[in-house]
Amino acid sequence: SDYGYDTSKVFLGGFSSGGHLAALLSMDEQYLEKWGLPLDKIKGVIPIGGTYDVSNYYDVFLNGSRSALAESHVQAVFGDTEADFEAASPTTYVEEMSVPMLLISENNTFNYTKIFEDKIRETDFRDFQVLHIHKIGHGDLWRNLAEEQSIYRSFIIDFIKTEIDE
């Protein structure tokens, strides 16, 4: 209200780690409750190119060619126990989903997004859309979204317009 925003038209979105955080904020009420913000004020969420399941993300690094990142990129951020990983994972909270979602991936984060998508599909929640963009990578999608004409940004705008109209 301090800035004159319409609180009935709040959308969360983020790219990469921001996508992970946007999904988590829209699914685990504790983060918004801390600031006295109700989850039902969020009209939609747009996570782009996130990882969503920290245990899987950790395992990919630990068992891959860059195993040092398991500690520096995952444990240093989320903690070092399975309980820490679960608490920080949007996949943990899929049963709590209530906010419409446009979930977007590109070829580098497809596997992470697919895990999240599959977990959502195991629930009764159906107010979500998924856009997998296989022909470009993580950085290319970020650059594309910043261009004056971006088909992928148009998907985001259409999602927002549709949710506002409902």
Side-chain angles (χ1 to χ4, degrees):
S1 63
D2 292 348
Y3 300 101
Y5 295 127
D6 184 342
T7 59
S8 69
K9 297 179 182 176
V10 174
F11 286 78
L12 295 177
F15 189 91
S16 198
S17 59
H20 176 104
L21 292 173
L24 190 61
L25 281 171
S26 74
M27 298 169 72
D28 184 357
E29 291 186 89
Q30 73 169 324
Y31 299 105
L32 295 177
E33 284 177 352
K34 178 180 176 181
W35 300 100
L37 300 170
L39 188 59
D40 64 2
K41 288 290 185 186
I42 300 172
K43 191 75 172 163
V45 62
I46 308 150
I48 306 168
T51 54
Y52 316 114
D53 187 298
V54 178
S55 293
N56 174 263
Y57 192 51
Y58 175 77
D59 289 343
V60 167
F61 282 128
L62 187 65
N63 299 312
S65 61
R66 302 176 352 181
S67 60
L69 291 177
E71 182 179 336
S72 66
H73 199 68
V74 181
Q75 289 178 321
V77 174
F78 300 108
D80 57 3
T81 69
E82 187 61 33
D84 293 332
F85 294 172
E86 286 179 20
S89 297
T91 54
T92 300
Y93 307 99
V94 294
E95 293 291 338
E96 309 303 318
M97 288 186 74
S98 62
V99 177
M101 179 180 288
L102 172 60
L103 181 61
I104 302 174
S105 75
E106 30 50 47
N107 66 20
N108 298 112
T109 61
F110 170 77
N111 290 335
Y112 300 123
T113 304
K114 187 71 172 116
I115 290 168
F116 188 33
E117 176 187 0
D118 290 346
K119 292 272 188 187
I120 296 169
R121 289 186 189 283
E122 291 173 6
T123 72
D124 293 331
F125 186 76
R126 291 295 174 261
D127 199 357
F128 72 102
Q129 300 172 49
V130 182
L131 174 62
H132 295 298
I133 306 163
H134 296 282
K135 68 180 183 176
I136 60 176
H138 200 63
D140 292 329
L141 178 56
W142 177 79
R143 283 185 286 281
N144 180 283
L145 290 169
E147 291 175 4
E148 190 171 324
Q149 298 294 319
S150 167
I151 189 171
Y152 308 120
R153 192 172 61 242
S154 294
F155 277 95
I156 295 168
I157 293 167
D158 289 345
F159 171 76
I160 292 170
K161 286 179 178 179
T162 300
E163 292 304 322
I164 287 174
D165 290 341
E166 288 186 6

PDB file of all heavy atoms in Angstrom, residues 54 58 62 68-81 84-85:
ATOM      1  N   VAL A  54      16.558 -30.209  -3.654  1.00  0.00           N
ATOM      2  CA  VAL A  54      17.950 -30.003  -3.240  1.00  0.00           C
ATOM      3  C   VAL A  54      18.704 -31.312  -3.111  1.00  0.00           C
ATOM      4  O   VAL A  54      19.889 -31.382  -3.443  1.00  0.00           O
ATOM      5  CB  VAL A  54      18.017 -29.155  -1.949  1.00  0.00           C
ATOM      6  CG1 VAL A  54      19.455 -28.982  -1.488  1.00  0.00           C
ATOM      7  CG2 VAL A  54      17.365 -27.786  -2.166  1.00  0.00           C
ATOM      8  N   TYR A  58      22.130 -31.899  -5.050  1.00  0.00           N
ATOM      9  CA  TYR A  58      23.341 -32.308  -4.330  1.00  0.00           C
ATOM     10  C   TYR A  58      23.940 -33.567  -4.949  1.00  0.00           C
ATOM     11  O   TYR A  58      25.148 -33.628  -5.222  1.00  0.00           O
ATOM     12  CB  TYR A  58      22.998 -32.538  -2.857  1.00  0.00           C
ATOM     13  CG  TYR A  58      24.134 -33.071  -2.038  1.00  0.00           C
ATOM     14  CD1 TYR A  58      25.163 -32.234  -1.629  1.00  0.00           C
ATOM     15  CD2 TYR A  58      24.187 -34.410  -1.663  1.00  0.00           C
ATOM     16  CE1 TYR A  58      26.218 -32.722  -0.861  1.00  0.00           C
ATOM     17  CE2 TYR A  58      25.219 -34.909  -0.905  1.00  0.00           C
ATOM     18  CZ  TYR A  58      26.237 -34.057  -0.507  1.00  0.00           C
ATOM     19  OH  TYR A  58      27.283 -34.545   0.238  1.00  0.00           O
ATOM     20  N   LEU A  62      27.609 -34.209  -6.420  1.00  0.00           N
ATOM     21  CA  LEU A  62      28.445 -35.176  -5.713  1.00  0.00           C
ATOM     22  C   LEU A  62      28.923 -36.302  -6.624  1.00  0.00           C
ATOM     23  O   LEU A  62      30.074 -36.726  -6.554  1.00  0.00           O
ATOM     24  CB  LEU A  62      27.675 -35.756  -4.524  1.00  0.00           C
ATOM     25  CG  LEU A  62      28.464 -36.666  -3.592  1.00  0.00           C
ATOM     26  CD1 LEU A  62      29.572 -35.880  -2.888  1.00  0.00           C
ATOM     27  CD2 LEU A  62      27.522 -37.296  -2.560  1.00  0.00           C
ATOM     28  N   ALA A  68      33.174 -31.105  -5.995  1.00  0.00           N
ATOM     29  CA  ALA A  68      33.455 -30.083  -4.981  1.00  0.00           C
ATOM     30  C   ALA A  68      32.280 -29.124  -4.810  1.00  0.00           C
ATOM     31  O   ALA A  68      32.087 -28.539  -3.737  1.00  0.00           O
ATOM     32  CB  ALA A  68      34.716 -29.301  -5.350  1.00  0.00           C
ATOM     33  N   LEU A  69      31.473 -28.974  -5.866  1.00  0.00           N
ATOM     34  CA  LEU A  69      30.317 -28.078  -5.784  1.00  0.00           C
ATOM     35  C   LEU A  69      29.224 -28.621  -4.865  1.00  0.00           C
ATOM     36  O   LEU A  69      28.365 -27.859  -4.405  1.00  0.00           O
ATOM     37  CB  LEU A  69      29.755 -27.799  -7.172  1.00  0.00           C
ATOM     38  CG  LEU A  69      30.641 -26.957  -8.092  1.00  0.00           C
ATOM     39  CD1 LEU A  69      30.005 -26.823  -9.473  1.00  0.00           C
ATOM     40  CD2 LEU A  69      30.910 -25.596  -7.492  1.00  0.00           C
ATOM     41  N   ALA A  70      29.245 -29.919  -4.586  1.00  0.00           N
ATOM     42  CA  ALA A  70      28.260 -30.484  -3.658  1.00  0.00           C
ATOM     43  C   ALA A  70      28.377 -29.794  -2.304  1.00  0.00           C
ATOM     44  O   ALA A  70      27.366 -29.480  -1.670  1.00  0.00           O
ATOM     45  CB  ALA A  70      28.448 -31.992  -3.518  1.00  0.00           C
ATOM     46  N   GLU A  71      29.595 -29.517  -1.890  1.00  0.00           N
ATOM     47  CA  GLU A  71      29.800 -28.829  -0.613  1.00  0.00           C
ATOM     48  C   GLU A  71      29.667 -27.319  -0.757  1.00  0.00           C
ATOM     49  O   GLU A  71      28.895 -26.687  -0.045  1.00  0.00           O
ATOM     50  CB  GLU A  71      31.180 -29.168  -0.048  1.00  0.00           C
ATOM     51  CG  GLU A  71      31.425 -28.523   1.305  1.00  0.00           C
ATOM     52  CD  GLU A  71      32.790 -28.865   1.890  1.00  0.00           C
ATOM     53  OE1 GLU A  71      33.361 -29.907   1.518  1.00  0.00           O
ATOM     54  OE2 GLU A  71      33.261 -28.080   2.716  1.00  0.00           O
ATOM     55  N   SER A  72      30.373 -26.735  -1.715  1.00  0.00           N
ATOM     56  CA  SER A  72      30.415 -25.270  -1.804  1.00  0.00           C
ATOM     57  C   SER A  72      29.144 -24.643  -2.387  1.00  0.00           C
ATOM     58  O   SER A  72      28.812 -23.509  -2.060  1.00  0.00           O
ATOM     59  CB  SER A  72      31.627 -24.820  -2.625  1.00  0.00           C
ATOM     60  OG  SER A  72      31.498 -25.221  -3.976  1.00  0.00           O
ATOM     61  N   HIS A  73      28.448 -25.372  -3.219  1.00  0.00           N
ATOM     62  CA  HIS A  73      27.289 -24.817  -3.914  1.00  0.00           C
ATOM     63  C   HIS A  73      25.957 -25.281  -3.315  1.00  0.00           C
ATOM     64  O   HIS A  73      24.942 -24.630  -3.509  1.00  0.00           O
ATOM     65  CB  HIS A  73      27.355 -25.191  -5.401  1.00  0.00           C
ATOM     66  CG  HIS A  73      26.521 -24.365  -6.299  1.00  0.00           C
ATOM     67  ND1 HIS A  73      26.787 -23.035  -6.549  1.00  0.00           N
ATOM     68  CD2 HIS A  73      25.420 -24.654  -7.012  1.00  0.00           C
ATOM     69  CE1 HIS A  73      25.886 -22.560  -7.392  1.00  0.00           C
ATOM     70  NE2 HIS A  73      25.043 -23.520  -7.682  1.00  0.00           N
ATOM     71  N   VAL A  74      25.992 -26.405  -2.594  1.00  0.00           N
ATOM     72  CA  VAL A  74      24.745 -26.931  -2.036  1.00  0.00           C
ATOM     73  C   VAL A  74      24.778 -26.905  -0.508  1.00  0.00           C
ATOM     74  O   VAL A  74      23.967 -26.221   0.119  1.00  0.00           O
ATOM     75  CB  VAL A  74      24.440 -28.354  -2.560  1.00  0.00           C
ATOM     76  CG1 VAL A  74      23.132 -28.874  -1.989  1.00  0.00           C
ATOM     77  CG2 VAL A  74      24.395 -28.368  -4.081  1.00  0.00           C
ATOM     78  N   GLN A  75      25.700 -27.616   0.100  1.00  0.00           N
ATOM     79  CA  GLN A  75      25.736 -27.672   1.561  1.00  0.00           C
ATOM     80  C   GLN A  75      25.974 -26.299   2.189  1.00  0.00           C
ATOM     81  O   GLN A  75      25.368 -25.983   3.215  1.00  0.00           O
ATOM     82  CB  GLN A  75      26.804 -28.649   2.030  1.00  0.00           C
ATOM     83  CG  GLN A  75      26.438 -30.088   1.761  1.00  0.00           C
ATOM     84  CD  GLN A  75      27.532 -31.045   2.194  1.00  0.00           C
ATOM     85  OE1 GLN A  75      28.713 -30.780   2.026  1.00  0.00           O
ATOM     86  NE2 GLN A  75      27.110 -32.174   2.742  1.00  0.00           N
ATOM     87  N   ALA A  76      26.812 -25.488   1.588  1.00  0.00           N
ATOM     88  CA  ALA A  76      27.097 -24.159   2.137  1.00  0.00           C
ATOM     89  C   ALA A  76      25.865 -23.255   2.096  1.00  0.00           C
ATOM     90  O   ALA A  76      25.751 -22.320   2.886  1.00  0.00           O
ATOM     91  CB  ALA A  76      28.250 -23.510   1.369  1.00  0.00           C
ATOM     92  N   VAL A  77      24.950 -23.548   1.209  1.00  0.00           N
ATOM     93  CA  VAL A  77      23.742 -22.729   1.066  1.00  0.00           C
ATOM     94  C   VAL A  77      22.582 -23.304   1.871  1.00  0.00           C
ATOM     95  O   VAL A  77      21.873 -22.573   2.573  1.00  0.00           O
ATOM     96  CB  VAL A  77      23.344 -22.614  -0.427  1.00  0.00           C
ATOM     97  CG1 VAL A  77      22.020 -21.885  -0.583  1.00  0.00           C
ATOM     98  CG2 VAL A  77      24.436 -21.929  -1.224  1.00  0.00           C
ATOM     99  N   PHE A  78      22.361 -24.606   1.775  1.00  0.00           N
ATOM    100  CA  PHE A  78      21.150 -25.213   2.315  1.00  0.00           C
ATOM    101  C   PHE A  78      21.351 -25.993   3.614  1.00  0.00           C
ATOM    102  O   PHE A  78      20.386 -26.343   4.274  1.00  0.00           O
ATOM    103  CB  PHE A  78      20.530 -26.155   1.270  1.00  0.00           C
ATOM    104  CG  PHE A  78      20.153 -25.458  -0.001  1.00  0.00           C
ATOM    105  CD1 PHE A  78      20.888 -25.662  -1.155  1.00  0.00           C
ATOM    106  CD2 PHE A  78      19.068 -24.594  -0.045  1.00  0.00           C
ATOM    107  CE1 PHE A  78      20.543 -25.021  -2.348  1.00  0.00           C
ATOM    108  CE2 PHE A  78      18.713 -23.946  -1.216  1.00  0.00           C
ATOM    109  CZ  PHE A  78      19.455 -24.158  -2.366  1.00  0.00           C
ATOM    110  N   GLY A  79      22.576 -26.302   3.964  1.00  0.00           N
ATOM    111  CA  GLY A  79      22.861 -27.155   5.113  1.00  0.00           C
ATOM    112  C   GLY A  79      23.399 -28.481   4.632  1.00  0.00           C
ATOM    113  O   GLY A  79      23.490 -28.734   3.437  1.00  0.00           O
ATOM    114  N   ASP A  80      23.758 -29.336   5.574  1.00  0.00           N
ATOM    115  CA  ASP A  80      24.419 -30.565   5.150  1.00  0.00           C
ATOM    116  C   ASP A  80      23.687 -31.847   5.524  1.00  0.00           C
ATOM    117  O   ASP A  80      24.239 -32.936   5.445  1.00  0.00           O
ATOM    118  CB  ASP A  80      25.857 -30.610   5.666  1.00  0.00           C
ATOM    119  CG  ASP A  80      25.954 -30.490   7.174  1.00  0.00           C
ATOM    120  OD1 ASP A  80      24.910 -30.435   7.849  1.00  0.00           O
ATOM    121  OD2 ASP A  80      27.096 -30.461   7.678  1.00  0.00           O
ATOM    122  N   THR A  81      22.430 -31.713   5.922  1.00  0.00           N
ATOM    123  CA  THR A  81      21.670 -32.923   6.241  1.00  0.00           C
ATOM    124  C   THR A  81      20.516 -33.097   5.261  1.00  0.00           C
ATOM    125  O   THR A  81      20.078 -32.136   4.619  1.00  0.00           O
ATOM    126  CB  THR A  81      21.094 -32.863   7.672  1.00  0.00           C
ATOM    127  OG1 THR A  81      20.064 -31.865   7.715  1.00  0.00           O
ATOM    128  CG2 THR A  81      22.176 -32.571   8.711  1.00  0.00           C
ATOM    129  N   ASP A  84      17.767 -30.764   6.085  1.00  0.00           N
ATOM    130  CA  ASP A  84      17.995 -29.412   5.548  1.00  0.00           C
ATOM    131  C   ASP A  84      17.607 -29.357   4.077  1.00  0.00           C
ATOM    132  O   ASP A  84      16.969 -28.401   3.636  1.00  0.00           O
ATOM    133  CB  ASP A  84      19.475 -29.016   5.673  1.00  0.00           C
ATOM    134  CG  ASP A  84      19.941 -28.828   7.094  1.00  0.00           C
ATOM    135  OD1 ASP A  84      19.116 -28.477   7.972  1.00  0.00           O
ATOM    136  OD2 ASP A  84      21.150 -29.051   7.340  1.00  0.00           O
ATOM    137  N   PHE A  85      18.011 -30.376   3.333  1.00  0.00           N
ATOM    138  CA  PHE A  85      17.701 -30.422   1.900  1.00  0.00           C
ATOM    139  C   PHE A  85      16.187 -30.463   1.671  1.00  0.00           C
ATOM    140  O   PHE A  85      15.663 -29.756   0.811  1.00  0.00           O
ATOM    141  CB  PHE A  85      18.343 -31.640   1.230  1.00  0.00           C
ATOM    142  CG  PHE A  85      19.846 -31.631   1.192  1.00  0.00           C
ATOM    143  CD1 PHE A  85      20.525 -32.751   0.771  1.00  0.00           C
ATOM    144  CD2 PHE A  85      20.592 -30.530   1.567  1.00  0.00           C
ATOM    145  CE1 PHE A  85      21.914 -32.782   0.711  1.00  0.00           C
ATOM    146  CE2 PHE A  85      21.986 -30.532   1.522  1.00  0.00           C
ATOM    147  CZ  PHE A  85      22.642 -31.664   1.095  1.00  0.00           C
TER     148      PHE A  85
END
